[in-house]
Amino acid sequence: MKSAESGRKYELSLKARVPRLAGKGIAQEAPAERTLETVYYDTKGFRLTRAGITLRRSSDSGWRLSFPSGQELRFPLGEGPASFAPLVRAYTLDRKLRPIAQVRTDRFTHRWSDESGRTVATLADDHVTGEFLGGQALRLDRWRELDVELAPDSSPGLLDRLDRTLRKRGAENAWWPSKLQRLLGDETEGARGRDEVLPAYLSEQFERLRRADLGFRLGEEDSVHQLRVAARKLRSALQTFNSLAGKKKATALAAELKWLGGELAPARDAEVSQARLEACLDEVPSELVFGPLRQYLTRDFARTSQNGLARATEALSSTRYATLLKSIATLLDTMPPVRKKALRKPLRKTARKLYRAAAATEGLSGAELEQALHNVRKKAKRARYAADAVRPVFGKKLRTWRKNVKAVQQTLGKHQDTVVDRAALRHFAIDGFGENQNTFTFGLLYGRDEAAAKMLRDRFAGEWRTLRKGACPSWLAA
């Protein structure tokens, strides 16, 4: 049923008379008749339908590709399934798109109007004949649907009045959310989700990767970032729990996810660096800004970003990437059960690596310290992701430990930003000097980043003490 404020959907016997609502200021016109023919496309295993994605070709409106978010893309009738295949590659895994169902709808549209002739609601009386083409044998079905829609400025109370009239004629709430789902029935039901925490976490990250892949192909903002995060979390979990996921397969997949992250990195790094440097420039008093610095940054990052996006597009269009997606799907389908007790050892091993990395920073300075802190950051991120994966089955102490690890990781992430930005500022200053630009402001920003780095190192020291002294499961303590 649709929301009570806009419309409702019903089922009605094919033999029932057309419900009429007349009198009391409402008139019902004779129906306008039209016939619609729609063919639905999917893979052999209904991969699109199971993901909530619908691809259909209608005689009146051409091709439509609809997504769970409500977004819909339209293409002319002259296009073919091959035109849409790249958009949904992460879901089809390069399986061929083929017709799975054909629906003919004889639609009788009734208009309800008030005394002034203004439309207050419409009733679509659909007589549907469906053919299921995806099974071993052809399956036919016939049914009838009623779809009531109020005009935008109509009173919501009118819908209840229409509801009473329709029910007197035998109308009942529609059971199926769409014609396609009614026709397919339980054909699209996949295997039930796994209860074990690790397979569930990996499946969640794989779904995030596929959604971000779709977003990238549709040009959505932040999609590169979301792709990279999902790939990183998958890789981290496979590295940490490789003995539980099948060591050989998990190690190979982690290597391919590292490759994917590397292909996405330039585009994302350019986004982050440009945003951060422009924000830093905003904080500089106008009297200390010399030369066309913003134009300089825009020009440089535009080139870097364009190259990065081209590299990401090429990677996502490659056979190597398609093979990676298929391998992840296969691993999730064949992964053995994982016991709660078995999750402790891999997480403990990851925590030990974090502790050793932090201890290795003692006595270092300059570039050596920066590199060592970057290593601590990476170890902290892996430990945090590992804790995220198993958090549902462990207690409050693990959640507290994970919170403290996240604080360390975020502080060192900001510290690493200053390292990257100082390298970029030095590059800009050298190039600007070569073009006879005044590079004073770049030097000023460089100095500010150095000061910020010192403050962040001090913050890390305090957060690390909190992490080591804070609550922690006994089996995870150093």
Side-chain angles (χ1 to χ4, degrees), residues 348-397:
R348 184 165 59 242
K349 183 177 179 181
T350 298
R352 297 291 189 274
K353 290 181 178 180
L354 170 60
Y355 300 148
R356 287 197 296 269
T361 64
E362 295 293 333
L364 300 180
S365 62
E368 286 186 341
L369 177 59
E370 290 175 348
Q371 183 59 43
L373 290 175
H374 182 43
N375 188 45
V376 176
R377 170 180 171 261
K378 291 190 292 184
K379 294 296 189 292
K381 182 174 289 188
R382 182 179 294 185
R384 171 196 163 192
Y385 288 162
D388 284 340
V390 303
R391 185 168 45 171
V393 296
F394 291 107
K396 182 178 179 181
K397 288 184 177 180

Side-chain angles (χ1 to χ4, degrees), residues 379-421:
K379 294 296 189 292
K381 182 174 289 188
R382 182 179 294 185
R384 171 196 163 192
Y385 288 162
D388 284 340
V390 303
R391 185 168 45 171
V393 296
F394 291 107
K396 182 178 179 181
K397 288 184 177 180
L398 179 63
R399 292 194 292 271
T400 300
W401 182 82
R402 180 258 181 201
K403 179 180 177 181
N404 291 334
V405 169
K406 181 181 179 181
V408 166
Q409 175 219 319
Q410 290 183 329
T411 294
L412 292 182
K414 293 176 181 177
H415 182 271
Q416 181 63 16
D417 286 341
T418 71
V419 175
V420 174
D421 289 349

Side-chain angles (χ1 to χ4, degrees), residues 116-285:
S116 67
R118 180 183 64 88
T119 299
V120 294
T122 57
L123 168 67
D125 180 10
D126 289 349
H127 295 248
V128 185
T129 302
E131 300 178 41
F132 174 56
L133 311 174
Q136 297 295 325
L138 183 68
R139 182 197 305 163
L140 298 175
D141 195 4
R142 296 187 68 222
W143 69 93
R144 187 178 180 189
E145 296 177 357
L146 302 178
D147 202 343
V148 178
E149 287 286 345
L150 288 184
D153 53 352
S154 294
S155 168
L158 176 61
L159 196 57
D160 291 331
R161 181 180 169 188
L162 299 175
D163 181 86
R164 290 191 293 270
T165 299
L166 294 173
R167 291 186 185 281
K168 287 179 181 179
R169 292 290 187 185
E172 299 179 348
N173 292 342
W175 177 260
W176 298 97
S178 70
K179 292 179 174 63
L180 177 63
Q181 290 189 342
R182 170 171 181 148
L183 185 60
L184 299 186
D186 59 2
E187 291 284 344
T188 59
E189 288 189 4
R192 293 187 177 181
R194 301 283 294 277
D195 293 332
E196 298 94 345
V197 63
L198 182 56
Y201 178 81
L202 292 171
S203 296
E204 177 187 352
Q205 301 312 316
F206 185 43
E207 180 58 27
R208 285 189 61 181
L209 178 71
R210 297 197 297 178
R211 287 199 304 266
D213 174 289
L214 179 59
F216 179 83
R217 298 176 195 277
L218 295 176
E220 294 179 0
E221 292 185 7
D222 202 40
S223 55
V224 175
H225 174 54
Q226 295 303 324
L227 264 167
R228 197 177 176 195
V229 169
R232 186 187 296 128
K233 288 187 174 183
L234 277 169
R235 177 189 170 206
S236 180
L238 290 170
Q239 288 176 318
T240 300
F241 301 102
N242 58 10
S243 61
L244 305 178
K247 191 167 185 178
K248 185 176 180 180
K249 292 181 180 179
T251 301
L253 279 177
E256 288 302 282
L257 286 164
K258 181 179 181 180
W259 161 78
L260 177 61
E263 297 302 299
L264 300 172
R268 176 57 183 166
D269 290 347
E271 290 177 352
V272 173
S273 292
Q274 182 175 5
R276 189 174 185 279
L277 287 174
E278 288 181 347
C280 290
L281 194 57
D282 288 339
E283 298 175 356
V284 177

Side-chain angles (χ1 to χ4, degrees), residues 449-468:
D449 262 349
E450 276 194 323
K454 172 63 169 61
M455 181 271 292
L456 290 166
R457 287 194 293 271
D458 292 341
R459 182 192 297 178
F460 159 70
E463 290 172 343
W464 185 253
R465 286 192 294 270
T466 299
L467 171 63
R468 296 308 304 272

Side-chain angles (χ1 to χ4, degrees), residues 302-346:
R303 181 173 61 252
T304 303
S305 179
Q306 184 178 9
N307 292 339
L309 287 174
R311 182 173 172 180
T313 300
E314 182 178 358
L316 296 181
S317 302
S318 67
T319 302
R320 184 174 182 177
Y321 174 64
T323 301
L324 170 60
L325 294 177
K326 294 173 186 176
S327 298
I328 296 173
T330 300
L331 176 71
L332 293 174
D333 289 340
T334 59
M335 190 171 172
V338 178
R339 295 179 300 162
K340 173 182 175 180
K341 187 176 181 180
L343 298 169
R344 292 184 176 184
K345 183 177 179 180

